[in-house]
Amino acid sequence: MPENRRFLLQRRPDGEPVREDFELITEPTPELAEGEFLIRNHYASLDPAMRGWMDAGGNYMPPVPLGDAMRASTIGVVEESRAEGFEKGQWVMGLNALEDYSIGVAGGFSQPIDASLVPNVTNYLSIFGAVGMTAYFGFLEVCEPKRGDTVLVSGAAGAVGSLVGQLAKIHGCRAVGIAGGPEKCAKLIDKYGFDAAIDYKGKDEAALTAAIAEAAPDGVDVIFENVGGAILDAGLMNLNLYGRVGLCGLISEYNTEPRGARNIWQLIVKRASIRGLLVADYVERFGEGAVKMGEWAAAGKLATDEHIDEGLEHAFDSFMRLFAGTNDGKMILKIA
């Protein structure tokens, strides 16, 4: 069996992760048992949720055990198989780890995929994967948009946010995005078709509140929230009556003490609702979402970007791009 490089979590981060929290080791790949297959991981998805998996309490999944490889969604090729339905050379996608080789089990998390159905196999980690399905189901089912609504998207230049803004336009809404820096804001308008873009950098909550009011003079009907903190509070101050907030992420608070939403009282004033969303609730309907996203992409109505770094040895630096905002699209690590 080949040697296996594995990116291990060696201690729980205290605040922002540092390089010393992890270790890249090399060890033999375990022998396959009956019903197992060996996956050569080609690409891994790097996601903000992984930060929660590092903590002792975990989040919607148990914490990664210390000394184990960091959990991650991967796509790869079956190298050897002792499992029915999984043949050598077959592409598979599943929840595995940041490592060269993972062991799959028949009936487990890894499932076959058809690389010929997508322009790039990495699309299974972006527009046709959890990212695209989060945008699709999170926006259409959790936020319940109506034609003519004004939709505010935080983290709008990110993998999910950029798709939500485009879905808003497809469904006859006005899209206002919040992103960091003039380049990302320009991209929201020029590439993703947002109606307005707000640069959050250098703005406190009061300035953000005013900027949203200027970009959405008739108020905000839907907030698709990826960031939290002052950005969420500024959005809440601009909510219309019976507004809806879809809570997808709070990336600004993952490495700090939770700030919380201080303007949550606006939900009372505006008789608005806030609802958390988790893409795992829609796994059985991924096929439905992928078909629709594919139709819109083929019609030129959806654009997506993937930021692919190469090398398992760069896993830490690539992961930290998510918090520095230096990734340009869905963050993917090429392993093979």
Side-chain angles (χ1 to χ4, degrees):
M1 299 294 282
E3 288 193 326
N4 190 19
R5 293 178 306 157
R6 310 182 75 219
F7 185 71
L8 308 185
L9 177 68
Q10 294 290 37
R11 67 182 185 186
R12 309 269 177 218
D14 181 12
E16 185 171 290
V18 295
R19 198 176 302 275
E20 290 73 24
D21 295 330
F22 309 92
E23 183 181 5
L24 183 64
I25 68 164
T26 300
E27 61 184 24
T29 302
E31 294 287 338
L32 292 180
E34 195 65 34
E36 294 181 339
F37 53 96
L38 183 67
I39 305 165
R40 175 65 165 107
N41 292 314
H42 283 233
Y43 298 94
S45 176
L46 300 181
D47 301 291
M50 295 168 71
R51 176 60 186 86
W53 302 341
M54 298 175 191
D55 290 338
N59 45 27
Y60 58 87
M61 293 192 72
V64 174
L66 291 180
D68 205 354
M70 269 304 304
R71 182 188 301 132
S73 295
T74 70
I75 49 179
V77 174
V78 175
E79 291 282 310
E80 184 180 341
S81 179
R82 296 186 65 186
E84 186 176 349
F86 293 88
E87 305 297 332
K88 183 175 181 178
Q90 186 176 43
W91 281 96
V92 292
M93 175 180 176
L95 188 61
N96 293 301
L98 294 179
E99 55 191 3
D100 287 319
Y101 295 92
S102 294
I103 302 294
V105 181
F109 291 112
S110 290
Q111 299 298 324
I113 56 175
D114 188 343
S116 69
L117 296 179
V118 294
N120 300 294
V121 72
T122 51
N123 294 160
Y124 279 109
L125 295 177
S126 59
I127 189 170
F128 300 118
V131 164
M133 299 306 99
T134 297
Y136 181 85
F137 291 107
F139 180 59
L140 296 180
E141 303 230 344
V142 174
C143 295
E144 300 179 336
K146 302 177 181 65
R147 182 169 292 274
D149 279 351
T150 293
V151 177
L152 178 68
V153 185
S154 65
V160 173
S162 60
L163 289 173
V164 170
Q166 294 174 86
L167 290 174
K169 297 302 297 179
I170 289 170
H171 289 82
C173 301
R174 186 167 189 272
V176 178
I178 303 175
E183 289 185 7
K184 288 188 176 181
C185 285
K187 192 174 186 179
L188 292 186
I189 304 293
D190 299 337
K191 183 166 186 176
Y192 301 135
F194 281 72
D195 296 286
I198 299 167
D199 186 354
Y200 71 82
K201 290 192 173 181
K203 293 182 176 67
D204 60 13
E205 183 185 323
L208 282 167
T209 302
I212 294 169
E214 181 179 356
D218 297 323
V220 172
D221 302 292
V222 172
I223 297 175
F224 194 97
E225 188 58 49
N226 292 302
V227 177
I231 289 178
L232 173 56
D233 274 330
L236 291 172
M237 293 305 296
N238 285 277
L239 264 183
N240 285 332
L241 279 174
Y242 311 114
R244 286 89 67 206
V245 181
L247 194 59
C248 181
L250 299 167
I251 193 170
S252 70
E253 304 185 31
Y254 291 166
N255 293 322
T256 63
E257 286 294 319
R259 176 187 187 274
R262 299 171 182 173
N263 292 334
I264 199 82
W265 57 275
Q266 280 293 305
L267 299 180
I268 302 171
V269 175
K270 302 298 174 58
R271 281 81 87 195
S273 62
I274 185 167
R275 180 178 164 192
L277 64 99
L278 192 61
V279 73
D281 293 340
Y282 301 94
V283 169
E284 292 183 358
R285 297 175 58 193
F286 272 21
E288 166 197 336
V291 168
K292 293 300 296 182
M293 296 293 273
E295 290 174 356
W296 290 321
K301 296 180 179 180
L302 279 182
T304 188
D305 288 299
E306 297 174 353
H307 186 129
I308 302 177
D309 281 351
E310 186 167 353
L312 191 57
E313 66 275 16
H314 298 133
F316 174 77
D317 292 330
S318 297
F319 176 69
M320 294 307 294
R321 284 186 183 277
L322 296 170
F323 302 97
T326 57
N327 56 304
D328 185 20
K330 174 69 190 84
M331 194 66 233
I332 297 171
L333 184 67
K334 183 178 181 181
I335 298 177

